[in-house]
C-alpha cells in the first residue's frame, strides 16, 4: 500500500491514478496532518512524501512517521533540490530522495525497492 502526500493536487491525483493502473493500492492526501491521520487509520508499506507543503512540512511529517510508523518506508519528493534537505531526510531515515520533475518509472522503481527493502535504505 502506498500513500502519496503532496499539496499539488494535479500531481497527486495523476500519481495516485498511475500507481493504481499499475496494480498498486494507492491513496493520496494534500497535507502532513492528513497524512498522519490517514496513517493512524491504515497501514502503508511506502509513503511518497513532498517536502515543501504549507502547514506541517515534509521533514516534520517524516519525523512523526519515524516515531509512530517506524516500519514504513518513506520516499522524499521535492521540487526544491537542496543537498541540506537531502541529508536531513536521509538522516531521519528516508529511503530515497527524488527531485521533481521525476519520471513515473523512477518513482515506481523506488517504490518497489522501498517496499522490498527496509525503511532505512536497505536493498530489495
Amino acid at each position: 500500500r502506498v500513500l502519496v502526500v503532496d499539496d499539488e493536487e494535479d500531481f497527486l491525483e495523476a500519481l495516485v491514478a498511475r500507481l493504481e493502473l499499475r496494480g498498486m493500492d494507492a491513496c493520496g492526501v494534500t497535507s502532513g496532518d492528513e497524512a498522519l491521520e490517514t496513517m493512524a487509520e491504515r497501514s502503508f508499506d511506502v509513503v511518497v512524501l513532498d517536502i515543501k507543503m504549507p502547514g506541517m512540512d515534509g521533514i516534520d511529517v517524516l519525523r512523526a512517521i519515524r516515531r509512530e510508523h517506524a516500519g514504513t518506508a518513506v520516499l522524499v519528493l521535492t521540487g526544491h533540490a537542496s543537498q541540506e534537505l537531502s541529508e536531513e531526510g536521509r538522516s531521519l531515515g528516508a529511503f530515497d530522495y527524488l527531485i521533481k520533475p521525476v519520471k513515473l518509472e523512477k518513482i515506481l522503481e523506488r517504490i518497489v525497492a522501498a517496499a522490498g527493502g527496509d525503511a532505512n535504505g536497505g536493498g530489495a
Side-chain angles (χ1 to χ4, degrees):
R1 283 182 242 147
V2 181
L3 176 63
V4 181
V5 186
D6 198 306
D7 62 316
E8 294 178 39
E9 290 187 41
D10 291 342
F11 175 82
L12 174 72
E13 291 171 9
L15 181 55
V16 168
R18 299 287 294 272
L19 294 173
E20 289 175 336
L21 283 172
R22 290 190 165 59
M24 295 184 189
D25 179 4
C27 70
V29 296
T30 58
S31 74
D33 290 325
E34 279 184 284
L36 297 177
E37 289 170 14
T38 302
M39 291 183 78
E41 297 168 4
R42 294 178 55 191
S43 64
F44 293 89
D45 301 304
V46 179
V47 175
V48 178
L49 177 63
D50 187 26
I51 289 294
K52 297 286 185 185
M53 296 184 291
M56 177 183 264
D57 72 14
I59 292 295
D60 291 335
V61 176
L62 178 56
R63 283 190 184 104
I65 291 171
R66 292 281 59 83
R67 257 192 333 268
E68 300 166 24
H69 309 279
T72 303
V74 179
L75 297 177
V76 174
L77 263 186
T78 186
H80 308 277
S82 156
Q83 186 64 28
E84 184 178 309
L85 274 178
S86 175
E87 289 172 11
E88 185 173 9
R90 287 181 191 276
S91 74
L92 291 170
F95 181 85
D96 205 349
Y97 179 88
L98 302 171
I99 299 167
K100 293 178 188 174
V102 60
K103 293 186 184 278
L104 176 66
E105 293 307 318
K106 178 68 171 179
I107 296 174
L108 289 170
E109 170 191 306
R110 300 315 296 152
I111 288 171
V112 170
D118 64 41
N120 295 316

